[in-house]
Amino acid sequence: MTGPMTRAALAFSFAAFALPSASMAEGYRDTDVPMAVETGLDLSRYLGKWYEIARFPNDFEKGCEGVTAEYSALPEGRIKVVNTCRKGAPDGPAESAEGKARVVAPGILEVNFVPWLSFLPFTWGDYWVLDVDDDYRVAVVGTPNGKQGWILARSPEISAEQLSEAKSVLRGNGYDIRALKMVPQN
C-alpha cells in the first residue's frame, strides 16, 4: 500500500506523458508515417489486466519492472485505468497510479492521471491501440508523437512469434524498434 504522497507523486509521474516537455526525447517514430489504429476495437474485450511486455523508454516508467495495466468500465463510456509499477525488480515495491480514459474515436483513446486538472485539454495523453490479436491476448499501443509505445499481453510472457508480429506493427507505424526495451515480469 502506498501513502497519499507517494500516490500523488506517482500520479504526476504517470501524467508526465500528457504534458509537453522540452526535456523529453524527440520520439521513437517517424511522424510522417500515418498511424493505423484498430478501428474494430471491442472495448469490452480489451478491459481487464495487461502485462507490459516491452516499451520505449520514458521518464514516467524509469526503474519500473513487472508493470501491469488494468482497465475497467466506468459510467458514461469512460474507462478506469490502474497502472502498477514494481520498483527495481518484478517483485519490488508496488506503486500504482489511477486514471481515466475516454474514447475519442474507434481505437483512439485519451488518458488522464491528474483528475483535478482533467478540465485542461493538454492533461489528456494519447493512447492509440494500433493492433490487438483476434483473441485479445496481445496488443500494441502507441502515440502519434512517437514518444511512447508499448507491447502488452494478457500473460507475463509471449511467444517469439507474437513478439515479432507486435514489433512489425510498431515498424509499420513508423517506430524505430531498436530503442524498444523488454520489461522483466518474472
Side-chain angles (χ1 to χ4, degrees):
M1 187 85 163
T2 58
M5 293 303 289
T6 303
R7 282 194 301 273
L10 188 61
F12 275 118
S13 297
F14 273 102
F17 77 94
L19 303 173
S21 171
S23 67
M24 290 185 130
E26 287 297 313
Y28 300 105
R29 74 179 282 283
D30 178 353
T31 55
D32 289 334
V33 175
M35 287 183 74
V37 299
E38 185 71 42
T39 57
L41 182 67
D42 180 347
L43 280 175
S44 66
R45 292 183 70 196
Y46 195 77
L47 299 177
K49 185 173 185 174
W50 292 90
Y51 293 86
E52 190 176 279
I53 301 301
R55 69 170 172 256
F56 290 98
N58 59 64
D59 290 340
F60 57 90
E61 288 185 284
K62 195 169 279 189
C64 288
E65 296 185 13
V67 179
T68 59
E70 291 193 53
Y71 306 100
S72 55
L74 291 172
E76 299 177 15
R78 299 278 172 120
I79 300 164
K80 178 180 175 182
V81 180
V82 179
N83 288 340
T84 302
C85 156
R86 298 244 173 218
K87 287 307 232 178
D91 62 351
E95 295 182 358
S96 295
E98 186 175 314
K100 289 185 180 172
R102 61 187 179 195
V103 177
V104 177
I108 299 176
L109 290 79
E110 292 178 332
V111 182
N112 179 292
F113 286 96
V114 191
W116 60 91
L117 293 177
S118 64
F119 65 94
L120 297 171
F122 65 85
T123 65
W124 289 85
D126 290 315
Y127 183 97
W128 290 25
V129 180
L130 307 178
D131 187 66
V132 63
D133 68 358
D134 292 340
D135 296 327
Y136 280 70
R137 304 296 305 155
V138 178
V140 181
V141 178
T143 60
N145 66 11
K147 293 182 180 178
Q148 290 90 31
W150 298 271
I151 298 172
L152 307 174
R154 295 293 188 181
S155 59
E157 296 177 1
I158 61 175
S159 70
E161 181 181 336
Q162 290 170 311
L163 180 61
S164 178
E165 289 174 13
K167 286 179 177 180
S168 179
V169 169
L170 288 168
R171 270 193 302 275
N173 281 281
Y175 279 91
D176 179 355
I177 63 164
R178 292 176 295 181
L180 190 66
K181 303 293 182 204
M182 299 304 291
V183 178
Q185 287 288 344
N186 297 320

